[in-house]
Amino acid sequence: RLNPGSVLRTETGQYRIRGLAVMAALRGITSENPQRTDTEAIGALLYAALTQRWPYENDAHGLSGLPKGVGLIAPDQVRAGIHRGLSDLTMRALVNDGATASRQEQPCTTPEELAKAVAAMPRIRPPEPSFATPPSYQRTTYQQGAYGQPPRAGRPAAPP
């Protein structure tokens, strides 16, 4: 039952997932492996955040799905500039036995395993801050020189 509507952003800029391990129970939905189902849903949310596409063939939650018949494509192959580690982590959480072509790591089958995998990732530098518009030009007061101006009365002209 986790979907993009489950993602909340706090006033401090942190993201939280509302309803983890609860939403399905409240609606009477059962699963053979609810932790795996939640982990896959978190993977789908991460996929959507990275690519702005839903990771399955069907369109959902206002996002376009992947092309039909192609299967699950790693986020860094869908959109340029996606961090390789985040792409691999996303694939480990989604339904594909967790393995990617580049790294044969074990799948993350529970939210706890996924959280440990996130904690083990190297820190990613934040994006460069956007260029701030400089303050508007303000005139300063300064002594204006006499260069190139006609001589004033009472002052001798500068030699040529």
Side-chain angles (χ1 to χ4, degrees), residues 14-153:
Q14 294 179 324
Y15 289 90
R16 303 280 187 217
I17 298 176
R18 163 180 71 143
L20 187 61
V22 181
M23 295 302 285
L26 290 175
R27 289 178 171 68
I29 299 170
T30 60
S31 171
E32 285 184 31
N33 191 345
Q35 288 189 333
R36 177 66 183 147
T37 303
D38 277 350
T39 304
E40 291 172 13
I42 294 168
L45 291 173
L46 183 55
Y47 196 100
L50 293 172
T51 65
Q52 297 174 351
R53 305 277 306 252
W54 195 240
Y56 307 109
E57 289 183 351
N58 56 331
D59 298 348
H61 310 289
L63 299 169
S64 298
L66 295 176
K68 302 219 183 293
V70 175
L72 187 58
I73 305 168
D76 61 346
Q77 294 176 359
V78 173
R79 192 176 192 97
I82 292 176
H83 186 273
R84 181 65 176 253
L86 285 175
S87 180
D88 288 346
L89 186 69
T90 302
M91 296 302 284
R92 289 176 62 197
L94 286 170
V95 179
N96 71 336
D97 296 326
T100 63
S102 63
R103 307 172 87 180
Q104 297 296 321
E105 293 189 32
Q106 292 297 313
C108 296
T109 58
T110 66
E112 292 81 17
E113 288 178 4
L114 186 58
K116 286 178 185 176
V118 169
M121 285 185 63
R123 300 286 291 171
I124 300 171
R125 288 186 298 167
E128 294 291 325
S130 60
F131 179 74
T133 306
S136 60
Y137 176 75
Q138 295 180 2
R139 298 196 99 166
T140 58
T141 57
Y142 60 92
Q143 184 78 24
Q144 189 169 7
Y147 182 75
Q149 294 183 359
R152 286 193 247 163

